[in-house]
């Protein structure tokens, strides 16, 4: 195979005219070499409008497909370009000599401003037929208008900016009433906000533009004849309707940032390009005396949005004193200048004039050029003719310019739908990268071109760039069609040879270890690629030969696994009894499936090494898949060999923390068979919670019972909560073991007593040991001597359990004494409580004559009052007034009811103090009822001090002044 590749490389070197040797490998050459590029068609296609105006055209504006044209002195023609056959004519109705100076149409085509040369301004809405004079605007010659694209609507302009010939900037708003049109003046306000100046004083405001950036920031661009000003400021969210006065106010004491150029031809004009409707402009072009300043708009900048600025200087054929530019229009990649007799289009990428259109003298002098920002159409007019330019596929040749500027990504972006152009760009980029010694990038680009394969391959071979050659071949291989099998085979084989050579070089260099690992990973990815799978499988014999010739057994195994041909290596070693070598291949490759397949064979011959290999694989192996090999091995092996199986199972359980039931059951069976000493410790280590035990309890119980491991059976019974069976079995082994089982059901005293009775019966009846039976009584507090007596035979004397009977009687006596003591304590406690109650009834307080009510600050003794333990004193009515609003609804109702009952009684109380016992005896039944009512009222009103009790805590969040009386209180302080 190597000789084939050598011959191929020699043939490449011998190719004197490689571009003509297309049959060397059968790889196709460029399909676009002789392809002709599409026929050039004009980008700017001019069309004369079939329209003969009855009078000369003074001014023309167009926006949003709405065209407005001023004819003669007093006529205005409006045309919806969607319905050009339905023009609308409006008479301005001016009887003086005023003429239209300029017209301004907003972005929606709804609002038209008509500036007159008499320093007046008219307004016309699209929905009406009569123009209205703007009285507040009178006396100002309007030069420019900055429309509000963010708040404007069909009936309201929102805050707009107006520039005058005197350099003043005004803020205004025009609104049309929908109910009765023009019932009020349309101009809402007209206020001065700023004055633009040049070195000689105020200068006309030629252009105004309002743009909104990020985070509520607004940018206002204003131009004069020689200066371009920028006003930057934030308008708080929700206050946009208030206008832009705050932005201009920031620059009241200092000039805003501006660009200035020395030359001037009396005016300037700025144009913007907006990619799509209602988005922010992305570029600008300012026509002034020295040339055209153009660039992009970056709204993230803090002070100026102008970015990437360049100046296009007027060429020699433009003399600003004779044929100065009139208007400018900006498109995506060009700006168009209107001269008196022609139109020039300049590319903004290379500053070259790419289009020039000369107009005949019969049409007259060109007057104005404008662009409809909505549909990107350009309009030009003279006094008697109107022309329209359609921009057709402006970006068709942009890719060439970007390519010549070495901006290949942009070039590819603009020719991605034109494969013949994309191929040229890729070839140029590849050559550029090659010359700059970026060989890998060059290879990636060359692989995507249709250039001759042989020429490119020789180029990298001569430069001794094998890595780049490999990259080129890989990319070329990925682009081949499935039907190109011969080419795929050749490239696949060649790449395999190159990879092996490169790996051989890197492997011997320790300093290139990382590069070696990366290359190895790439080679493995190449071998395992699904696209190459069929080719590698069909030519696997050749690939095996290449791998063998390089002695790369590692990749031979890897390739064999990919091809599902692993038996070629592992089975070969097994057949020749080279089990250690076979295990080495498995351990080196670390493939789980290989272990599962060959472990049954290997464990029969080298069990310890196989188990060591399994352990080294760790959690990558599923022990369940190895159990069949262990079962076959353990059935025919000795105890020492079974220990290897136990060693791996213990590794899985204790190191890997396996929870699979099959693994734990198998380990349990091995313990029961060969290691009974380890069986009980394993069971105890597993715990007693059935939800956290990973072996099968029933299987374990059956296994331990078959092998006679009673201790283990008792433990399993305890885990299963079969305590009676556990005690029964434990009594056959050890009474102490049975006792430990009997105490387990802590929450079931009846069952615990039953279990201890079983133990006692066993001790008495089976072991006939009275002392042990008495010991059971001391071990379990639930057992009494009377529970155990029935188990003793009749001939047993009382001497054996006289002490237990005495102890039982003493316990009963102690319990009786304890009950007596508790009864005495309860009696004393009740007596103390009665005494405390009587003491509280006899408590009193003294009140001085000068004491005042804590609420109203009037003398206390004038009216019935309350005295609290805390020292606060209140009149009855003051306390009632403070407490009542804070009572629950049901207590308020009860209090009102008690007051009504009190008022209905025959004699009102003259003193709020309770009568003495002697007086009480002389009162009638009605008076007793009155005292009871007053007591009930006291319980509600005087339950606690209004200043010290819970009422004050609950009212902490209430205001000091009643909200309803706040205004009255505030006025009283003034």
């Amino acid at each position: 195979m190597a000789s084939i590749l050598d011959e191929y490389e020699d043939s490449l070197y011998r190719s004197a005219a490689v571009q003509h040797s297309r049959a060397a490998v059968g790889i196709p050459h460029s399909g676009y070499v002789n392809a002709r590029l599409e026929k050039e068609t004009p980008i700017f296609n001019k069309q004369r409008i079939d329209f003969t105006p009855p009078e000369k055209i003074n001014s023309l504006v167009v926006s949003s497909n709405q065209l407005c044209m001023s004819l003669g002195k007093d006529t205005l023609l409006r045309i919806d370009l969607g319905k050009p056959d339905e023009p609308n004519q409006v008479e301005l109705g001016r009887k003086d000599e005023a003429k239209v100076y300029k017209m301004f149409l907003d972005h929606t085509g709804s609002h038209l401003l008509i500036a007159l040369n008499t320093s007046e301004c008219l307004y016309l809405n699209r929905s009406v037929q009569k123009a209205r004079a703007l009285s507040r605007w009178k006396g100002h010659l309007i030069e420019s208008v900055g429309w509000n694209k963010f708040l404007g609507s069909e009936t309201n302009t929102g805050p707009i900016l107006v520039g005058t010939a005197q350099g003043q900037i005004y803020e205004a708003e025009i609104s049309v009433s929908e109910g009765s049109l023009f019932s009020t003046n349309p101009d809402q306000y007209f206020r001065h906000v700023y004055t633009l100046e040049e070195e000689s004083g105020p200068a006309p405001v030629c252009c105004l533009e309002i743009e909104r950036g990020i985070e509520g920031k607004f940018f206002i661009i204003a131009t004069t004849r020689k200066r371009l000003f920028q006003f930057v400021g934030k308008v708080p969210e929700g206050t946009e309707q208030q206008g832009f006065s705050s932005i201009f106010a920031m620059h009241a004491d200092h000039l805003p940032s501006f660009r200035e150029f020395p030359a001037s031809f009396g005016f300037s004009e700025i144009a913007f390009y907006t990619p799509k409707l209602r988005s922010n402009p992305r570029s600008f072009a300012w026509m002034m005396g020295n040339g055209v300043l153009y660039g992009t708009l970056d709204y993230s900048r803090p002070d100026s949005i102008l970015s990437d600025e360049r100046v296009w200087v007027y060429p020699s054929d433009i003399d600003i004193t004779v044929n100065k530019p009139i208007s400018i229009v900006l498109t995506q990649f060009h700006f168009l200048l209107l001269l008196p007799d022609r139109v020039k289009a300049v590319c903004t990428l290379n500053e070259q004039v790419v289009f020039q259109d000369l107009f005949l003298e019969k049409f007259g002098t060109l007057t104005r050029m404008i662009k409809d920002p909505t549909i990107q159409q350009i309009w030009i007019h003279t006094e008697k003719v109107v022309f329209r330019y359609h921009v057709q596929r402006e970006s068709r040749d942009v890719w060439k310019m970007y390519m010549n500027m070495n901006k290949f990504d942009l070039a590819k972006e603009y020719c991605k739908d034109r494969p013949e152009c994309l191929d040229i760009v890729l070839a140029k980029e590849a050559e550029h990268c090659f010359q700059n010694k970026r060989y890998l990038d060059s290879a990636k680009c060359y692989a995507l071109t249709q250039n001759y394969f042989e020429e490119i391959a020789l180029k990298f071979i001569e430069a001794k760039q094998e890595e780049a050659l490999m990259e080129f071949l890989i990319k070329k291989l990925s682009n081949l069609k499935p039907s190109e099998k011969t080419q795929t085979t050749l490239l696949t084989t060649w790449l395999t040879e190159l990879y092996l050579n490169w790996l051989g070089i890197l492997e011997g260099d320790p300093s290139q270890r990382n590069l070696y690992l990366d290359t190895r990973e790439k080679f493995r990815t190449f071998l395992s690629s699904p696209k190459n799978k069929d080719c590698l499988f069909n030519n696997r014999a050749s690939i095996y030969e290449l791998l063998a010739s390089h002695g790369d057994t590692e990749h031979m195994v890897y390739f064999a696994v990919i091809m599902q041909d692993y038996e070629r290596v592992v089975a070969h070693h097994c057949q020749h009894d080279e089990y250690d070598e076979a295990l080495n291949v498995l351990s080196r490759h670390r493939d789980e499936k290989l272990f599962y397949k060959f472990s049954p064979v290997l464990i029969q011959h080298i069990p310890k090494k196989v188990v060591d290999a399994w352990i080294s694989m760790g959690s990558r192996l599923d022990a369940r898949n190895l159990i069949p090999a262990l079962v076959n091995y353990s059935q025919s092996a000795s105890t020492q060999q079974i220990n290897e199986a136990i060693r791996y199972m213990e590794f899985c359980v204790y190191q890997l923390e396996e929870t699979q039931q099959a693994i734990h059951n198998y380990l349990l069976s091995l313990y029961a068979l060969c290691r009974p000493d380890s069986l009980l410790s394993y069971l105890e280590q597993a715990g007693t919670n059935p939800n956290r035990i990973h072996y099968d309890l029933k299987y374990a119980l059956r296994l331990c019972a078959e092998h006679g491991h009673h201790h283990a059976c008792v433990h399993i019974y305890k885990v299963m909560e079969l305590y009676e069976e556990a005690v029964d079995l434990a009594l056959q082994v050890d009474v102490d073991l049975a006792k430990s089982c009997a105490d387990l059901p802590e929450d079931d005293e009846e069952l615990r007593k039953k279990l201890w009775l079983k133990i006692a019966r066993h001790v008495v009846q089976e072991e006939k040991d009275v002392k042990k039976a008495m010991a059971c009584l001391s071990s379990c507090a639930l057992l009494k001597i009377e529970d155990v007596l029935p188990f003793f035979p009749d001939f047993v004397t009382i001497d054996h359990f006289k002490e237990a009977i005495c102890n039982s009687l003493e316990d009963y006596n102690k319990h009786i004494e304890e009950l007596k003591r508790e009864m005495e304590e309860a009696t004393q406690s009740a007596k103390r409580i009665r005494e405390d109650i009587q003491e509280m009834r006899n408590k009193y307080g003294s009140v001085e004559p000068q004491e005042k009510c804590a609420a109203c600050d009037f003398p206390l003794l004038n009216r019935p009052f309350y005295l609290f333990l805390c020292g606060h004193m209140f009149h009855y009515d003051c306390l009632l007034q403070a407490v009542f609003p804070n009572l629950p609804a049901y207590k308020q109702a009860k209090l009102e009811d008690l007051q009504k009952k009190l008022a209905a009684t025959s004699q009102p109380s003259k003193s709020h103090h309770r009568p003495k016992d002697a007086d009480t005896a002389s009162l009638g039944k009605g008076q007793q009822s009155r005292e009871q009512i007053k007591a009930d009222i006291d319980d509600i009103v005087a339950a606690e001090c209004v200043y010290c009790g819970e009422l004050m805590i609950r009212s902490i969040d209430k205001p000091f002044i009643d909200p309803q009386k706040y205004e009255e209180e505030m006025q009283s302080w003034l």
Side-chain angles (χ1 to χ4, degrees):
M1 188 64 211
S3 61
I4 295 175
L5 296 174
D6 292 338
E7 290 177 7
Y8 175 68
E9 292 182 10
D10 291 341
S11 68
L12 290 179
Y13 278 113
R14 291 195 302 268
S15 179
V18 67
Q19 62 273 22
H20 301 298
S21 59
R22 294 192 289 268
V25 292
I27 293 179
H29 56 77
S30 173
Y32 308 119
V33 171
N34 296 319
R36 296 180 59 187
L37 298 180
E38 62 183 278
K39 184 180 179 181
E40 293 291 336
T41 56
I43 295 176
F44 304 99
N45 186 19
K46 182 174 68 175
Q47 175 191 5
R48 178 181 176 182
I49 304 300
D50 186 13
F51 170 72
T52 303
E55 299 179 78
K56 69 176 183 179
I57 303 173
N58 297 324
S59 181
L60 184 147
V61 289
V62 61
S63 179
S64 207
N65 226 20
Q66 302 293 317
L67 184 144
C68 298
M69 187 185 305
S70 172
L71 303 176
K73 174 186 174 184
D74 200 46
T75 304
L76 188 69
L77 189 65
R78 297 188 295 185
I79 302 174
D80 185 348
L81 297 177
K83 304 173 183 178
D85 298 333
E86 301 176 8
N88 175 251
Q89 184 171 323
V90 178
E91 298 298 331
L92 298 181
R94 302 289 295 190
K95 296 180 180 180
D96 53 14
E97 296 300 322
K99 294 182 181 179
V100 174
Y101 177 63
K102 283 186 178 181
M103 294 198 304
F104 308 94
L105 186 62
D106 80 315
H107 61 288
T108 66
S110 301
H111 307 282
L112 177 65
L113 291 174
I114 307 163
L116 304 180
N117 60 356
T118 57
S119 297
E120 295 179 89
C121 191
L122 305 178
Y123 170 73
L124 182 64
N125 190 276
R126 183 167 63 180
S127 60
V128 300
Q129 284 292 107
K130 184 179 179 181
R132 295 279 296 197
L134 303 176
S135 58
R136 292 184 175 93
W137 297 38
K138 191 172 182 178
H140 301 283
L141 184 61
I142 307 303
E143 287 284 350
S144 57
V145 175
W147 296 104
N148 194 325
K149 295 178 286 187
F150 315 104
L151 294 177
S153 65
E154 293 186 358
T155 59
N156 188 287
T157 62
I160 61 174
L161 298 177
V162 180
T164 70
Q166 293 78 31
Q168 297 166 331
I169 298 178
Y170 288 86
E171 185 180 78
E173 183 176 357
I174 301 174
S175 178
V176 180
S177 175
E178 295 183 0
S180 55
L181 284 174
F182 302 119
S183 60
T184 58
N185 289 332
D187 49 337
Q188 302 297 306
Y189 62 86
F190 189 77
R191 56 174 174 255
H192 178 260
V193 292
Y194 202 80
T195 300
L196 295 184
E197 295 184 356
E198 294 181 352
E199 68 277 1
S200 59
V205 183
C206 299
C207 298
L208 280 170
E209 181 73 15
I210 303 171
E211 296 299 338
R212 182 168 62 186
I214 58 177
E215 297 179 354
K217 185 181 290 186
F218 279 82
F219 298 86
I220 299 173
I221 297 176
T223 66
T224 61
R225 294 165 297 190
K226 295 196 283 186
R227 290 183 177 180
L228 186 150
F229 294 86
Q230 293 184 74
F231 299 87
V232 183
K234 284 189 176 182
V235 176
E237 186 176 356
T239 64
E240 293 89 346
Q241 195 66 43
Q242 298 178 10
F244 309 102
S245 302
S246 60
I247 298 178
F248 289 100
M250 296 168 58
H251 303 280
D253 300 329
H254 63 278
L255 283 175
S257 63
F258 65 89
R259 293 293 310 274
E260 183 174 18
F261 290 86
S264 170
F265 47 60
F267 65 93
S268 69
E269 185 173 339
I270 191 167
F272 296 90
Y273 169 72
T274 304
K276 50 187 177 180
L277 186 64
R278 298 193 70 83
S279 69
N280 290 331
R282 291 293 179 264
S283 56
F284 75 98
W286 180 39
M287 180 187 73
M288 40 73 187
N290 288 84
V292 177
L293 174 70
Y294 67 96
T296 59
L297 299 178
D298 185 356
Y299 295 92
S300 63
R301 300 180 66 182
D303 300 323
S304 172
I305 59 174
L306 307 184
S307 179
D308 300 330
E309 300 174 46
R310 287 180 288 175
V311 177
W312 182 78
V313 181
Y314 296 130
S316 58
D317 61 340
I318 297 180
D319 186 354
I320 63 173
T321 61
V322 179
N323 61 338
K324 59 185 178 183
I326 301 170
S327 295
I328 186 170
V329 162
L330 181 63
T331 63
Q332 187 176 5
F333 298 106
H334 303 84
F335 60 81
L336 283 74
L337 287 176
L338 180 68
L339 302 171
D341 61 345
R342 70 193 65 196
V343 173
K344 282 180 179 288
V346 180
C347 179
T348 56
L349 298 178
N350 57 11
E351 300 187 347
Q352 298 296 315
V353 178
V354 297
F355 173 77
Q356 187 168 246
D357 192 4
L358 185 65
F359 287 75
L360 299 177
E361 293 183 2
K362 66 177 183 178
F363 297 134
T365 303
L366 300 178
T367 305
R368 184 79 192 283
M369 175 174 62
I370 54 175
K371 185 182 73 169
D372 187 340
T374 305
I375 56 177
Q376 306 295 323
Q377 288 182 349
I378 300 170
W379 296 77
I380 297 176
H381 73 92
T382 66
E383 289 185 348
K384 51 186 176 181
V385 184
V386 179
F387 297 93
R388 178 170 56 189
Y389 281 95
H390 294 275
V391 182
Q392 297 180 343
R393 296 182 59 239
E394 185 182 5
S395 61
R396 67 181 70 174
D397 294 328
V398 169
W399 64 272
K400 286 183 185 178
M401 301 173 193
Y402 281 130
M403 180 181 70
N404 294 331
M405 296 163 64
N406 293 333
K407 295 182 178 181
F408 299 109
D409 291 337
L410 290 172
K412 287 183 284 189
E413 181 67 24
Y414 285 100
C415 63
K416 58 185 177 182
D417 297 329
R418 302 167 66 186
E420 70 281 359
C421 302
L422 181 61
D423 190 69
I424 297 173
V425 175
L426 288 170
K428 181 70 179 293
E429 182 181 8
E431 184 62 28
H432 175 77
C433 294
F434 192 90
Q435 291 176 357
N436 288 277
K437 297 184 179 181
R438 291 164 47 201
Y439 297 111
L440 285 177
D441 294 335
S442 175
K444 293 176 183 178
C445 293
Y446 269 131
L448 299 174
T449 67
Q450 299 297 319
N451 288 18
Y452 291 105
F453 172 81
E454 304 90 334
E455 179 183 1
I456 299 169
L458 274 179
K459 203 167 189 176
F460 288 116
I461 292 174
E462 289 173 353
K464 297 182 180 179
Q465 295 296 323
E466 286 193 8
E467 189 176 1
L469 176 61
M470 290 165 59
E471 186 67 29
F472 170 68
L473 296 178
I474 291 171
K475 294 293 183 183
K476 206 68 179 177
L477 178 62
S478 64
N479 294 331
L480 291 178
K481 300 177 182 178
S483 59
E484 298 173 322
K485 295 183 179 179
T486 304
Q487 294 91 329
T488 302
T489 301
L490 177 61
L491 291 183
T492 301
T493 311
W494 193 2
L495 277 169
T496 303
E497 175 69 19
L498 290 174
Y499 267 122
L500 291 173
N501 285 336
W502 188 238
L503 287 172
I505 294 171
L506 295 176
E507 190 176 13
D509 188 353
S511 63
Q512 301 290 332
R513 179 63 179 171
N514 291 333
L515 181 58
Y516 167 77
L517 294 175
D518 292 340
T519 306
R520 186 182 69 175
E521 187 62 29
K522 290 180 181 178
F523 181 43
R524 292 184 173 184
T525 302
F526 167 74
L527 291 176
S528 59
S529 172
K531 187 171 183 180
N532 303 331
K533 183 176 181 180
D534 292 338
C535 178
L536 291 170
F537 184 80
N538 295 331
N539 298 278
R540 59 187 182 279
S542 300
I543 302 298
Y544 277 129
E545 289 179 9
L546 284 174
L547 292 168
S549 65
H550 286 267
D552 195 343
T553 57
E554 178 184 2
H555 285 103
M556 181 181 291
V557 173
Y558 186 84
F559 181 68
V561 172
I562 293 174
M563 296 292 104
Q564 296 183 357
D565 197 15
Y566 39 79
E567 295 180 10
R568 185 182 184 90
V569 178
V570 180
H572 171 78
H573 291 309
C574 291
Q575 290 171 359
H576 292 81
D577 296 336
E578 297 173 352
Y579 303 112
D580 289 333
E581 292 296 328
L583 184 60
N584 289 337
V585 173
L586 290 175
S587 300
R588 185 167 58 250
H589 189 65
R590 302 178 71 82
D591 187 290
E592 299 88 348
K593 295 181 180 179
L594 293 177
F595 273 100
Y596 299 149
K597 182 165 186 176
F598 291 100
S599 288
V601 177
L602 297 176
I603 200 170
Q604 299 290 336
H605 302 280
I606 47 174
K608 186 177 185 306
K609 292 182 179 179
V610 170
V611 171
D612 289 340
W614 289 351
I615 292 175
S616 67
M617 288 288 288
S619 60
R620 293 181 59 179
L621 288 179
D622 188 348
R624 291 177 300 174
N625 296 332
L626 298 174
I627 289 178
L630 291 172
V631 170
N632 294 333
Y633 168 67
S634 61
Q635 288 178 350
S636 59
S638 63
T639 302
Q640 182 178 1
Q641 292 170 326
I642 291 178
N643 288 336
E644 293 299 327
I646 294 177
R647 182 163 70 97
Y648 181 66
M649 287 292 102
E650 287 179 339
F651 169 77
C652 294
V653 170
Y654 298 120
Q655 300 296 325
L656 301 182
E657 298 181 353
E658 285 284 353
T659 60
Q660 297 294 332
Q661 191 177 80
I663 297 173
H664 285 263
N665 287 346
Y666 183 57
L667 178 60
L668 199 65
S669 66
L670 293 176
Y671 279 151
L673 180 64
C674 299
R675 291 189 186 176
D677 296 338
S678 302
L679 176 61
L680 188 58
S681 62
Y682 165 78
L683 293 175
E684 291 174 349
Q685 188 173 354
T688 58
N689 187 346
N691 297 324
R692 296 184 179 181
I693 289 177
H694 304 302
Y695 58 84
D696 186 343
L697 288 169
K698 295 180 180 179
Y699 171 77
L701 182 61
R702 184 173 64 253
L703 192 68
C704 294
E706 290 177 358
H707 291 84
H709 303 311
H710 296 304
H711 278 84
C713 290
V714 170
H715 178 82
I716 296 171
Y717 276 134
K718 290 193 293 184
V719 174
M720 298 173 71
E721 297 183 356
L722 300 175
Y723 300 115
E724 292 191 44
E725 290 80 354
V727 169
D728 291 340
L729 184 58
L731 289 174
Q732 300 177 21
V733 179
D734 184 10
V735 174
D736 291 335
L737 179 62
K739 289 180 180 180
S740 65
C741 296
D743 283 330
L744 291 177
E746 297 178 355
D747 299 331
D748 191 346
E749 292 186 356
E750 184 178 353
L751 177 59
R752 193 144 50 96
K753 184 175 181 180
K754 181 179 179 182
L755 297 177
W756 276 101
L757 286 175
K758 281 192 175 190
I759 297 173
R761 181 188 292 113
H762 174 80
V763 171
V764 172
Q765 296 179 354
E766 300 297 332
E767 297 186 6
K768 303 186 184 302
D769 191 336
V770 178
K771 291 184 179 181
K772 271 191 179 182
M774 295 300 102
C776 290
L777 293 178
S778 61
S779 300
C780 179
L782 299 176
L783 290 184
K784 304 296 180 183
I785 184 63
E786 57 267 28
D787 298 323
V788 182
L789 285 176
F791 301 147
F792 289 97
D794 296 336
F795 56 84
V796 176
T797 63
I798 196 172
D799 295 336
H800 292 90
F801 40 83
K802 181 173 71 173
E803 184 179 354
I805 293 174
C806 293
N807 291 337
S808 178
L809 291 174
E810 288 179 1
D811 291 339
Y812 283 130
N813 288 333
K814 288 179 181 178
H815 184 62
I816 291 170
E817 291 298 327
E818 184 176 353
L819 289 176
K820 286 182 179 180
R821 186 171 62 256
E822 290 176 357
M823 291 174 64
E824 290 176 359
E825 289 177 356
T827 302
Q828 292 297 325
S829 177
K831 182 179 179 181
R832 284 194 298 270
I833 291 172
R834 285 193 296 271
E835 291 175 353
D836 291 343
I837 293 173
Q838 187 62 34
E839 183 181 354
M840 289 298 293
R841 286 177 178 173
N842 296 330
K843 265 195 172 181
Y844 67 93
S846 60
V847 178
E848 299 295 332
Q850 66 272 18
E851 294 289 348
K852 295 182 180 181
C853 174
C856 66
D857 205 30
F858 280 92
L860 185 69
L861 298 179
N862 290 351
R863 299 197 300 273
F865 63 89
Y866 287 100
L867 171 63
F868 291 95
L869 293 178
C870 60
H872 287 115
M873 292 169 279
F874 300 91
H875 289 131
Y876 167 76
D877 53 343
C878 293
L879 182 63
L880 179 64
Q881 184 178 3
V883 171
F884 186 82
N886 297 285
L887 291 174
Y890 74 94
K891 282 193 176 182
Q892 290 181 353
K894 183 177 180 181
L895 183 59
E896 290 175 351
D897 184 57
L898 289 172
Q899 287 177 327
K900 290 178 182 179
K901 290 181 179 179
L902 184 64
T905 56
S906 58
Q907 284 186 338
S909 177
K910 293 184 180 180
S911 174
H912 197 63
H913 295 289
R914 296 182 182 275
K916 298 182 179 179
D917 294 341
D919 296 331
T920 302
S922 63
L923 292 177
K925 183 176 181 181
Q927 187 64 24
Q928 291 178 355
S929 174
R930 177 181 177 82
E931 292 303 321
Q932 182 61 44
I933 293 171
K934 290 174 64 178
D936 293 342
I937 292 176
D938 289 347
D939 290 341
I940 297 175
V941 176
E944 60 180 1
C945 176
V946 71
Y947 286 170
C948 303
E950 292 185 4
L951 177 61
M952 182 60 65
I953 297 173
R954 289 198 302 269
S955 62
I956 194 170
D957 58 340
K958 293 185 179 180
F960 290 108
I961 302 174
D962 189 348
Q964 297 179 354
K965 299 180 180 179
Y966 179 79
E967 291 295 333
E968 179 183 347
E969 183 70 21
M970 185 175 66
Q971 292 297 328
S972 67
W973 283 74
L974 297 178

